[in-house]
Amino acid sequence: MTAGDHDEAATVDGLVQLSFLVLGELGRVAAGYELSLSQIRLLGILRDRRPPMLELGRRLELGKSSVTGLVDRAEARGLVRRAPDDADGRGVRVELTESGCGVAAAFTAAMTTRVEHLLAGLEPADRAQLTRLAWQLLERAGAS
Amino acid sequence: MTAGDHDEAATVDGLVQLSFLVLGELGRVAAGYELSLSQIRLLGILRDRRPPMLELGRRLELGKSSVTGLVDRAEARGLVRRAPDDADGRGVRVELTESGCGVAAAFTAAMTTRVEHLLAGLEPADRAQLTRLAWQLLERAGAS
DNA sequence: TATTGTTATACTCTATAACTATA
DNA sequence: TATAGTTATAGAGTATAACAATA
């Protein structure tokens, strides 16, 4: 193993472990609202859209029947509702209820607090670096 | 919303989105080996340990009956085995089989390649920064 | 009695295939 | 015929509660 290999493994491992840490926090915060990661992702997508089921499936990388179940459970809890699609009689549009909107906002605030706590030890310059690097990677991934 | 608020949201959002991106990659690589994230985590823990069930549960943040099921399914696939605990007649020790060890190594190599691809656009200095920041956050989280 | 682990049961999440209704 | 969505069914993952065996 060369020095380069070591750096490589440390970078990959650090990134994966950090991701588990962050999504672990997200999962614990979500559990406080009795929400799963999937439900959180659903609410997040619906904050500024009212997509048809198939588009939800594309964004969540889920099959259509999985989306049916996910939306069923969210609807049963009053977080989202199905509305008819004016342009296509076969389709439905999924949208947040007022309750779902409130839960999404409360969750986001709680999650922000938790991540802020995690970042509390970073110097401002390091925070800025981290933000820049994260968005740089996201843009590259989105473009590819 | 002040400029400070904006930076804060961008940092939190970027970190969460990056974590979804990285674990999404991990999930897709795992799926190529017909492994779930939970099975991957299990194999990862067992690479350098042969813990009792309860310790596995602590590391995975799972209840003991969940661990029983997870180990059952991994054992049925020949990835791990249960061995008696010499020091405690009630306990079992879980360990990788040769097959499980090989799968874990192959998965790690594949995942490293994928993350390397993701990081391909970063300058060496940025890679070093990212590695340093990731480990700094992990150390802080581990200490708290 | 306390602890380790399993079993019984139930719910969420996801997938495939068959089905319904509309385009 | 093709598309949007649901239903039927099955398996993985997780949790709680009751249980067995050992400490």
Side-chain angles (χ1 to χ4, degrees):
Chain A
M1 177 182 277
T2 70
D5 288 340
H6 182 270
D7 288 353
E8 184 176 289
T11 302
V12 173
D13 207 46
L15 206 49
V16 169
Q17 287 198 44
L18 180 59
S19 299
F20 271 116
L21 177 67
V22 171
L23 293 198
E25 287 293 332
L26 195 143
R28 277 184 288 275
V29 173
Y33 294 86
E34 308 210 68
L35 292 170
S36 66
L37 276 194
S38 294
Q39 297 287 339
I40 286 294
R41 293 181 72 196
L42 174 62
L43 298 188
I45 288 171
L46 297 180
R47 287 201 76 167
D48 50 6
R49 291 173 198 89
R50 45 193 296 284
M53 300 292 278
L54 285 184
E55 185 186 329
L56 267 179
R58 276 192 299 274
R59 289 180 184 275
L60 294 165
E61 298 187 274
L62 290 178
K64 54 191 181 174
S65 79
S66 303
V67 178
T68 295
L70 199 62
V71 170
D72 280 350
R73 291 183 294 272
E75 196 167 29
R77 291 180 54 181
L79 300 171
V80 310
R81 82 170 71 84
R82 285 169 165 95
D85 187 331
D86 298 327
D88 188 337
R90 299 166 301 182
V92 300
R93 294 265 169 180
V94 185
E95 59 193 19
L96 287 181
T97 60
E98 284 214 4
S99 164
C101 203
V103 169
F107 166 81
T108 300
M111 183 60 193
T112 298
T113 300
R114 284 277 207 126
V115 176
E116 282 301 324
H117 184 73
L118 185 67
L119 298 174
L122 290 192
E123 315 231 352
D126 280 345
R127 279 184 67 117
Q129 285 282 338
L130 184 60
T131 305
R132 179 180 67 80
L133 290 167
W135 285 105
Q136 189 172 332
L137 289 173
L138 287 166
E139 274 165 31
R140 273 192 53 78
S144 68
Chain B
M1 177 183 276
T2 70
D5 288 340
H6 182 268
D7 288 353
E8 187 175 285
T11 302
V12 173
D13 207 46
L15 207 47
V16 169
Q17 287 198 45
L18 180 60
S19 299
F20 271 116
L21 177 67
V22 171
L23 292 197
E25 288 293 330
L26 195 144
R28 278 184 287 276
V29 173
Y33 294 85
E34 308 209 68
L35 293 169
S36 66
L37 277 194
S38 294
Q39 297 287 340
I40 286 294
R41 293 181 71 196
L42 174 61
L43 298 189
I45 289 172
L46 296 180
R47 286 201 78 167
D48 49 7
R49 292 173 196 89
R50 45 193 297 284
M53 299 294 276
L54 285 185
E55 184 186 331
L56 267 179
R58 277 193 300 275
R59 289 180 184 276
L60 293 165
E61 298 187 274
L62 291 178
K64 54 190 179 174
S65 78
S66 303
V67 178
T68 295
L70 198 61
V71 170
D72 280 350
R73 290 183 294 274
E75 196 166 29
R77 292 180 54 181
L79 299 171
V80 310
R81 82 170 69 86
R82 286 168 163 96
D85 186 332
D86 299 328
D88 188 337
R90 299 167 300 181
V92 301
R93 294 266 169 180
V94 185
E95 59 192 20
L96 287 182
T97 60
E98 285 215 4
S99 165
C101 203
V103 169
F107 166 80
T108 300
M111 183 61 192
T112 299
T113 300
R114 284 275 208 130
V115 176
E116 282 301 324
H117 185 73
L118 184 67
L119 298 174
L122 290 192
E123 314 231 351
D126 281 345
R127 278 185 67 120
Q129 284 283 338
L130 184 61
T131 305
R132 178 180 66 80
L133 291 167
W135 286 104
Q136 188 172 333
L137 289 174
L138 286 166
E139 273 165 31
R140 274 191 52 78
S144 70

